[in-house]
Amino acid sequence: MVSKSDVGIVLMNLGSPDSTDVADVKRYLIEFLMDKRVIDYPWLFRKILIEGIIVPKRAAKSAEAYASIWWEEGSPLIALTKQLQKAVQNDMEIPVEIAMRYGNPSPEEAYNNLLKQHPQLKEVVVLPLYPHYAMSSYETAVEYAKEVYRKKKYKFKLSIIPPFYDEPEYINALAESMRPYVQQDHDYVLFSYHGLPERHIYKGDPTGAHCMKVNDCCHVTSPAHQYCYRHQVFITAELVAEKLGLPREKWGVSFQSRLGREEWMKPYTANVLETLPSTGKKKLLVVCPAFVADCLETLEEIGMEGKHSFLNSGGESFTMIPCLNIHPLWVKAVVSYCTQVIEKTSTIV
């Protein structure tokens, strides 16, 4: 049991609408899509595009999608993040709060809750629940947590845990959560990651000359890899596949959740699901390692739409492997990551 009276932890996830009402979904979509790190167009153009075109067209349909996966206790992502909070709290006497990048609860609420428990709070450790670095996920969560911290002039120290895409404890937790499924009869395992526009990959390359420019760039050592989502997701898939003993011809990587008409990272999951049955891969397992908690993109986009597409294209069986959620090894990994940061600046008693 880890105990320290002047330290707190914040588990930070993406967020969700407050309800499936169109008004709440619309409010959430505007906050999400107006983030300059998600859609990085000039502000005025972004505002016209999002509030004038995208959201009016998508709000009602998105509300229906959320309603199809909504739980009695609310958003699955929020509920699962709260379950993770409780599980981590059971292993630590240090107070644990949750925050969302969009919607509620906010980082301010999380910080204030920690201060109520410990007025002499000296350090807050923030764990962004994103395994991989991307401008539109990990980076925006971190910058938002820092922005709130600066604006409110909190006196405690803020420590941020880096992406953990290749950390042994994460890889082990992910592999073991998948193992019961891969031991069943299947033809193929698809690692489906949230996609990004290709320009985000170029933009995130600090060298300006490596990502998607060098042959086999994801496997050629470069400083760009620290910020390259594409490199990091391939490494995660390779490490997990190796740990599970998956032959190379029995697994692949694809990218989902494309928005707009510009070029995104390929191959697109939707296209892969339609073509796999024609190649003899008719018994499919799909896992979504970019998400550590099941949400709209896993439960609805993959578990419903993706399954329908695959089976209608000639597939025989389709299994979506759940996210890590509150798998015991994942809980253990979270506790370990937080403890390691605290030990660097504090004494664990």
Side-chain angles (χ1 to χ4, degrees):
M1 181 73 73
V2 178
S3 175
K4 194 75 171 68
S5 62
D6 54 5
V7 179
I9 294 168
V10 174
L11 306 178
M12 192 167 182
N13 216 327
L14 175 72
S16 178
D18 290 333
S19 76
T20 60
D21 291 344
V22 174
D24 282 339
V25 173
K26 183 176 181 180
R27 188 180 307 111
Y28 173 78
L29 288 176
I30 289 174
E31 181 185 3
F32 173 44
L33 297 175
M34 278 299 294
D35 183 345
K36 65 182 180 181
R37 290 182 172 84
V38 173
I39 297 182
D40 55 336
Y41 295 148
W43 181 85
L44 181 58
F45 179 68
R46 189 165 75 245
K47 186 174 180 65
I48 293 171
L49 176 67
I50 292 165
E51 296 187 20
I53 301 175
I54 296 178
V55 171
K57 287 185 176 181
R58 290 174 63 96
K61 184 177 180 181
S62 292
E64 289 182 7
Y66 276 109
S68 71
I69 56 100
W70 212 251
W71 291 355
E72 184 176 343
E73 57 267 50
S75 159
L77 182 141
I78 302 293
L80 287 165
T81 306
K82 287 180 178 178
Q83 290 178 24
L84 179 63
Q85 173 194 14
K86 182 177 180 181
V88 171
Q89 187 68 85
N90 286 339
D91 284 347
M92 306 185 83
E93 292 183 1
I94 296 169
V96 181
E97 293 289 331
I98 67 169
M100 300 294 149
R101 173 58 185 90
Y102 313 103
N104 299 302
S106 67
E108 181 179 357
E109 182 177 342
Y111 296 156
N112 290 343
N113 285 343
L114 290 175
L115 282 168
K116 288 177 184 178
Q117 298 175 69
H118 293 294
Q120 303 304 315
L121 193 66
K122 293 182 180 178
E123 181 180 14
V124 170
V125 176
V126 176
L127 173 57
L129 294 173
Y130 303 96
H132 314 90
Y133 191 101
M135 179 174 70
S136 57
S137 57
Y138 180 89
E139 182 180 302
T140 189
V142 169
E143 292 306 314
Y144 184 47
K146 290 180 178 178
E147 178 186 351
V148 172
Y149 172 77
R150 288 191 297 265
K151 282 185 176 180
K152 296 299 178 178
K153 298 181 180 179
Y154 293 110
K155 295 182 180 180
F156 53 76
K157 175 186 176 182
L158 192 66
S159 300
I160 310 292
I161 296 178
F164 43 86
Y165 67 97
D166 61 348
E167 289 290 333
E169 288 172 295
Y170 163 68
I171 296 299
N172 185 54
L174 183 55
E176 292 309 312
S177 75
M178 294 172 60
R179 192 175 297 278
Y181 297 90
V182 300
Q183 289 175 340
Q184 300 172 13
D185 184 29
H186 68 279
D187 297 325
Y188 200 69
V189 178
L190 182 64
F191 292 81
S192 179
Y193 293 93
H194 197 290
L196 292 178
E198 287 186 353
R199 60 188 170 79
H200 279 209
I201 303 300
Y202 294 125
K203 191 172 182 177
D205 180 358
T207 72
H210 183 81
C211 292
M212 300 181 72
K213 294 178 181 178
V214 172
N215 186 41
D216 196 23
C217 58
C218 288
H219 297 94
V220 176
T221 303
S222 169
H225 290 171
Q226 182 179 353
Y227 306 102
C228 183
Y229 180 78
R230 188 171 183 269
H231 161 78
Q232 294 181 9
V233 301
F234 280 122
I235 294 301
T236 293
E238 290 165 8
L239 290 173
V240 171
E242 179 181 10
K243 196 166 190 66
L244 290 172
L246 298 177
R248 186 61 190 88
E249 68 275 8
K250 293 205 63 171
W251 66 271
V253 171
S254 63
F255 301 93
Q256 64 185 86
S257 308
R258 182 186 179 199
L259 176 65
R261 297 181 179 180
E262 65 181 310
E263 292 297 312
W264 280 46
M265 298 167 65
K266 297 184 183 70
Y268 301 139
T269 295
N271 294 347
V272 172
L273 293 177
E274 290 178 353
T275 57
L276 277 176
S278 65
T279 66
K281 300 176 177 67
K282 298 188 176 185
K283 298 176 182 179
L284 182 65
L285 304 177
V286 183
V287 65
C288 303
F291 307 96
V292 297
D294 278 306
C295 54
L296 185 71
E297 287 81 0
T298 64
L299 299 173
E300 195 272 340
E301 184 180 358
I302 297 300
M304 294 180 184
E305 288 189 13
K307 179 178 182 179
H308 178 78
S309 174
F310 179 76
L311 296 179
N312 274 8
S313 299
E316 295 177 1
S317 67
F318 179 103
T319 300
M320 188 198 79
I321 300 174
C323 292
L324 286 168
N325 296 327
I326 55 169
H327 190 284
L329 290 177
W330 169 231
V331 174
K332 182 179 178 181
V334 171
V335 171
S336 175
Y337 297 151
C338 294
T339 302
Q340 288 172 35
V341 172
I342 295 168
E343 285 179 336
K344 290 181 180 178
T345 55
S346 310
T347 301
I348 304 299
V349 296

